[in-house]
Amino acid sequence: KREAKPGQGQPAARVNIEDEDDVTDQQKKDDPHDQDRGNCNLKIKVIGARHLPNPDDSGDIVDPYVRIFIDGDSVIKDQRTKTIQDNGFNPVWNQEFKFEIENREHAIITFKVMDKDIMGDDFICQASIPMANLRVGYRTLFLHDEDGQTLATSPTLTCYFSIAKAGSVAELWNDIEQYEGNKRDLEKRKKTLETELKRLQKETKELIVSEKTTSRKIKDQERELAEIGDHVVWLNTDKIKSLWGDSDEDGSSSDEEEEQVRPKRKNKLHGIDEGDLADAKECACTVM
């Protein structure tokens, strides 16, 4: 049997190479080499960047977004952030992305910062890091150009990384945290919709009350107009003649007859002004 030389940093459980099948699960779990192999779930939260240069030195303010590539895996995976308008100094995204990595040993994460342009998006800067060298937590990545050269503005990208082995308890907890976060967002949305519903119900009640009040006013006005119409009809030609007395055949009365009729007319009208009576007579004649 071949045995590893002492001092090479290999775990004691793997000294005998031919006996690897006999290694216990606990020993494999404690082996840092096994932790870098196999499937895993990678979460990347892109927080923000600093001092992004202008890609064409035109002096225009960039509209940056970040594209994330996972190379070296069975399938190239690509996701991107939203676009931040007119901010190349300190854009903030605070967006989280999840990747399922099948070959962690060979996977490479590449961040490309792009400038959104109507004529075609422009490359600004980038950074790459192998999954094997990745450490979880908050990390600041130094960005460079496509040739790997350092840029004059020394741009940086801040991210948060978390890794969970596929099917592990950590992955389960991550899923639970994501579920709880979605649940809180839905409860918040529910409260907002309930508040909006109450406001709409209140406005509906106010409109119903206003409609009833308006309908009542319309009915009162119609009743008042009907009473005025009945009063005008009552002032017909016969009533006017009885108030004014008979006239001559030619339609005129003498002064003496006018003086005799005036007291009688005043009594019958109960003191109504003659000018108002003339207006009423003219209105009645018009109606007839």
Side-chain angles (χ1 to χ4, degrees):
K1 297 182 180 179
R2 294 184 296 108
E3 295 185 359
K5 296 179 181 180
Q8 290 184 346
Q10 294 181 348
R14 302 193 62 179
V15 171
N16 194 327
I17 298 177
E18 293 184 359
D19 294 338
E20 286 186 1
D21 293 339
D22 299 331
V23 177
T24 63
D25 293 339
Q26 182 62 36
Q27 288 172 328
K28 288 183 178 180
K29 183 178 179 181
D30 295 336
D31 187 352
H33 296 279
D34 277 336
Q35 303 232 357
D36 290 337
R37 297 188 178 95
N39 299 349
C40 68
N41 291 327
L42 171 65
K43 285 187 178 180
I44 303 175
K45 184 176 183 180
V46 181
I47 299 174
R50 291 288 186 277
H51 311 301
L52 298 177
N54 193 295
D56 53 7
D57 297 328
S58 63
D60 296 334
I61 302 176
V62 297
D63 304 323
Y65 67 91
V66 181
R67 295 186 65 182
I68 307 173
F69 299 89
I70 306 295
D71 296 324
D73 207 3
S74 58
V75 178
I76 297 178
K77 302 174 177 64
D78 177 13
Q79 297 191 51
R80 57 159 290 176
T81 66
K82 61 186 178 182
T83 302
I84 304 297
Q85 299 293 331
D86 298 332
N87 190 349
F89 182 72
N90 58 347
V92 176
W93 292 280
N94 278 329
Q95 288 184 263
E96 187 175 280
F97 305 92
K98 183 177 180 180
F99 297 91
E100 294 182 359
I101 309 300
E102 298 179 3
N103 192 349
R104 181 178 175 183
E105 288 182 297
H106 300 95
I108 299 176
I109 310 171
T110 301
F111 299 89
K112 285 190 176 183
V113 183
M114 307 293 293
D115 178 23
K116 187 69 176 178
D117 194 340
I118 191 172
M119 301 299 295
D121 298 350
D122 298 320
F123 172 84
I124 300 178
C125 50
Q126 68 179 9
S128 298
I129 180 171
M131 279 283 296
N133 297 339
L134 182 63
R135 296 295 177 264
V136 298
Y138 290 95
R139 295 290 180 264
T140 298
L141 308 177
F142 291 94
L143 303 170
H144 49 76
D145 61 14
E146 291 182 294
D147 298 327
Q149 300 298 319
T150 303
L151 296 168
T153 59
S154 300
T156 59
L157 179 68
T158 303
C159 301
Y160 180 84
F161 299 93
S162 64
I163 301 174
K165 201 167 184 178
S168 64
V169 176
E171 181 186 7
L172 178 60
W173 278 110
N174 288 336
D175 292 339
I176 292 175
E177 290 178 358
Q178 184 176 3
Y179 167 77
E180 293 293 337
N182 294 337
K183 182 180 178 182
R184 287 191 295 269
D185 293 340
L186 290 174
E187 289 177 349
K188 184 177 179 181
R189 178 61 177 167
K190 179 182 177 182
K191 290 181 180 179
T192 302
L193 292 175
E194 288 176 347
T195 303
E196 183 69 13
L197 178 61
K198 290 180 180 179
R199 185 184 66 83
L200 292 175
Q201 289 176 344
K202 183 179 179 181
E203 291 181 355
T204 302
K205 290 181 179 179
E206 292 177 352
L207 289 174
I208 292 174
V209 173
S210 177
E211 182 181 2
K212 290 181 178 179
T213 303
T214 304
S215 178
R216 190 181 303 112
K217 290 181 178 179
I218 292 175
K219 289 181 179 179
D220 293 341
Q221 291 178 355
E222 290 176 349
R223 189 183 305 110
E224 184 178 355
L225 289 173
E227 293 176 354
I228 293 175
D230 294 340
H231 184 69
V232 171
V233 172
W234 178 80
L235 294 175
N236 52 32
T237 307
D238 294 336
K239 295 293 183 180
I240 297 299
K241 288 182 178 180
S242 65
L243 294 175
W244 284 87
D246 296 331
S247 301
D248 294 335
E249 293 181 358
D250 56 358
S252 61
S253 302
S254 62
D255 293 340
E256 296 180 357
E257 291 177 348
E258 181 69 20
E259 292 297 332
Q260 294 177 358
V261 171
R262 186 171 298 171
K264 184 187 299 184
R265 181 177 57 208
K266 184 175 182 180
N267 292 334
K268 289 186 178 181
L269 291 177
H270 302 287
I272 296 178
D273 185 79
E274 293 181 3
D276 294 340
L277 185 60
D279 294 339
K281 178 181 178 182
E282 181 180 357
C283 181
C285 293
T286 304
V287 172
M288 294 302 293

